[in-house]
Amino acid sequence: FKNAKCLYLAIRIGDHVYGVIGIPANKDVFDSVEYSILLSVVNECALAMENLRNAIEKEKNAVLAKNEQLRADLLRAISHDLRTPLCSISGNADMLLNNGACLDSKTKQQIYVDIYDDSEWLIGVVENLLSITRLNDGRLKFKFTDQLLDEVIAESLRHISRKHDEYTIVTKCEELILVRMDVQLIIQVLVNLIDNAIKYTPKGSKICIRGMKCNGKAQICVEDNGPGIADEMKPYIFEMFYTGKSTIADSQRSLGLGLSLCQSIIEAHDGRLILTDNTPRGCIFTFTLPLSEVTLNE
């Protein structure tokens, strides 16, 4: 192309062309050294673009692989953990339908309790699944209102399973702490944390829920005096589907969604959820929430 006004060189690796550079042509002709340097620069550009493309593809593949793994874990967890309560409900209902007249009142009462407990557990799992799916997809709409912290804690205790009767649960909350929150989601956080404390501590343990102002924020703690959490497990407890190992809770069902969901909800409130050790034993889950700007007039 003798009439071309530029010298055009392709930035390419193999058959993949990333671009073309044009160098204004003039009467001077590149000597062999200059042309070699120019080709080296073009090749370096092509190599850098190839590396960037490979890094982007690798990142995309890693995200796809993680999503597929999460989906597989979710399906496996659902099929494994939901089968037990569903079979229990079905079996107990069948027994009442076909043999109800042969059962004494005490046995019937226990069957009713078992059906209720399994149903409550399933409802909690479904709520966690829906919330964490909507959070991850960005479809969960927050409804922030100003709420008194002590009333929210009291309301959350009314949603705790009947198993809490076997534990000593106390609340210590400062009065008139007005907090900006989505009340239903924060109740869900408290219910998950308290249920966790019940699940992983022996019967008769003490669980304390504290609420206070700290460094310009509302701080809520859920403390227990159980066996605590091993140091090697602590880095993973907020990961989805991680349930850990516990001699107390090994026989209990858990999808491992609770703490992951709690962390996502608290972060959406511009807060933090952390785990610390209790003294002399046990653990403390602490999270912060923004205080309301509304001033209470006495």
Side-chain angles (χ1 to χ4, degrees):
F1 302 103
K2 296 180 179 180
N3 297 325
K5 296 182 179 180
C6 293
L7 170 65
Y8 296 102
L9 297 173
I11 303 174
R12 64 188 298 166
I13 295 288
D15 294 331
H16 195 94
V17 178
Y18 291 98
V20 176
I21 64 170
I23 301 173
N26 51 41
K27 295 180 180 180
D28 299 327
V29 180
F30 289 117
D31 60 33
S32 59
V33 175
E34 292 174 332
Y35 192 71
S36 297
I37 293 174
L38 179 59
L39 290 180
S40 297
V41 171
V42 171
N43 289 334
E44 287 295 324
C45 289
L47 186 60
M49 290 182 177
E50 178 77 4
N51 291 337
L52 179 61
R53 175 172 171 266
N54 290 337
I56 293 173
E57 287 295 324
K58 185 177 180 181
E59 185 176 346
K60 287 181 180 178
N61 291 334
V63 171
L64 289 174
K66 183 178 180 180
N67 289 340
E68 286 299 320
Q69 184 63 46
L70 286 175
R71 189 177 292 108
D73 289 341
L74 179 59
L75 291 173
R76 183 165 54 250
I78 290 176
S79 62
H80 179 269
D81 289 335
L82 268 62
R83 184 186 298 117
T84 301
L86 287 172
C87 288
S88 175
I89 292 171
S90 176
N92 284 327
D94 181 69
M95 184 179 296
L96 289 172
L97 285 171
N98 297 313
N99 302 301
C102 305
L103 301 174
D104 57 63
S105 59
K106 184 177 180 180
T107 303
K108 285 184 179 180
Q109 182 63 26
Q110 184 58 50
I111 292 176
Y112 294 144
V113 170
D114 291 342
I115 292 175
Y116 177 83
D117 287 343
D118 285 328
S119 300
E120 285 293 298
W121 186 84
L122 286 171
I123 290 170
V125 167
V126 170
E127 288 179 351
N128 280 350
L129 283 170
L130 289 174
S131 295
I132 203 162
T133 301
R134 289 171 181 166
L135 270 173
N136 290 341
D137 292 346
R139 294 185 292 109
L140 187 61
K141 304 299 181 183
F142 291 88
K143 299 177 182 178
F144 289 100
T145 56
D146 300 318
Q147 301 288 334
L148 286 170
L149 184 58
D150 56 346
E151 293 181 357
V152 174
I153 293 174
E155 178 65 23
S156 67
L157 291 176
R158 287 192 279 271
H159 291 75
I160 301 300
S161 68
R162 63 177 67 249
K163 293 180 181 179
H164 81 277
D165 294 335
E166 301 168 346
Y167 295 78
T168 302
I169 300 180
V170 297
T171 59
K172 298 179 180 179
C173 184
E174 297 177 6
E175 294 183 353
L176 302 180
I177 300 180
L178 202 60
V179 182
R180 190 74 173 168
M181 67 171 79
D182 184 311
V183 63
Q184 294 302 323
L185 291 178
I186 295 303
I187 287 175
Q188 194 170 359
V189 168
L190 286 167
V191 168
N192 279 332
L193 293 178
I194 298 169
D195 272 342
N196 239 37
I198 291 173
K199 184 187 302 178
Y200 290 98
T201 56
K203 295 178 181 179
S205 297
K206 181 180 179 180
I207 299 170
C208 182
I209 302 100
R210 301 181 187 271
M212 67 200 80
K213 290 182 180 179
C214 182
N215 298 324
K217 290 190 174 184
Q219 179 175 290
I220 302 93
C221 304
V222 178
E223 309 172 0
D224 67 65
N225 60 354
I229 297 176
D231 290 339
E232 62 269 18
M233 293 167 55
K234 291 177 181 176
Y236 309 104
I237 60 169
F238 293 111
E239 292 183 2
M240 195 181 299
F241 305 116
Y242 183 79
T243 56
K245 298 293 181 182
S246 169
T247 56
I248 296 172
D250 277 347
S251 62
Q252 301 191 33
R253 305 178 297 273
S254 177
L255 283 176
L257 294 172
L259 291 178
S260 175
L261 173 61
C262 291
Q263 186 180 53
S264 297
I265 291 174
I266 297 305
E267 288 178 351
H269 283 74
D270 294 325
R272 291 184 63 211
L273 174 62
I274 60 172
L275 165 66
T276 54
D277 293 325
N278 200 0
T279 304
R281 62 193 181 93
C283 58
I284 305 172
F285 284 94
T286 304
F287 64 91
T288 57
L289 293 172
L291 290 171
S292 173
E293 297 180 357
V294 177
T295 303
L296 288 177
N297 296 316
E298 297 183 4

